[in-house]
Amino acid sequence: NRLDVAKEQLEKVIATFRQDVKFDLVFFDNGFKPWQPGLVPANEENRKAAIEYARAQQPRGGTNIYDPLEAAILMEGVDTVFLLTDGDPGSGKFIATEDIVREIGNLNRTRRVKVHTIALGGTRELLVALARESGGRYVEAK
């Protein structure tokens, strides 16, 4: 299923982190919850714990893209976000593609956080636009 694909992609990303990288995970459905209260160093212990946390996630339904992306961009010290999703928002402050892109653009105007997007099927227009507007990259997971 798509969540399993997302977990596999996430593990690949986490495995590439150098020790000086700081990171957090935010899984989302209708709501969202960060793994940690803030960024943590990408030491071996935290990378292993993050992968275990990711593997334990189960599908719960719903897709709230705006709210967790907003929270991630506003985290202290964040310079890059990887957004893995099917790209079909169904809940949150904003649901329409143009509204999400506009509001994230406004929020990110001074923060300048790169948003890399990874499509797991579904609508791609939103993910392409978010990556393009933030200087990130868009890819499709196979």
Side-chain angles (χ1 to χ4, degrees):
N1 66 35
R2 288 184 274 190
L3 182 57
D4 289 335
V5 172
K7 290 177 191 181
E8 290 171 14
Q9 294 298 315
L10 180 59
E11 285 185 37
K12 289 177 186 178
V13 169
I14 292 171
T16 68
F17 290 164
R18 298 182 323 265
Q19 293 265 344
D20 62 336
V21 167
K22 291 185 176 182
F23 76 106
D24 197 356
L25 304 177
V26 180
F27 277 84
F28 57 94
D29 47 32
N30 287 322
F32 68 96
K33 182 179 183 225
W35 167 58
Q36 298 291 323
L39 301 179
V40 297
N43 58 38
E44 186 175 341
E45 178 183 334
N46 285 336
R47 287 194 314 263
K48 280 183 175 180
I51 289 170
E52 287 176 22
Y53 177 79
R55 287 179 180 162
Q57 298 304 304
Q58 297 298 315
R60 292 182 288 270
T63 305
N64 177 351
I65 290 178
Y66 178 82
D67 298 342
L69 186 53
E70 173 189 51
I73 288 172
L74 292 176
M75 278 185 187
E76 183 66 35
V78 167
D79 61 7
T80 306
V81 170
F82 291 87
L83 175 65
L84 290 79
T85 182
D86 60 9
D88 295 322
S91 64
K93 289 181 200 171
F94 300 100
I95 297 172
T97 294
E98 59 274 4
D99 294 338
I100 294 172
V101 172
R102 180 190 67 244
E103 293 301 319
I104 291 298
N106 289 340
L107 178 68
N108 206 13
R109 186 166 284 119
T110 58
R111 305 267 316 165
R112 300 192 189 270
V113 174
K114 284 189 180 185
V115 179
H116 300 291
T117 58
I118 302 157
L120 305 170
T123 305
R124 293 173 177 89
E125 177 186 347
L126 171 60
L127 302 181
V128 169
L130 287 170
R132 181 184 60 238
E133 295 297 318
S134 69
R137 291 186 60 210
Y138 163 81
V139 297
E140 293 178 22
K142 304 289 184 201

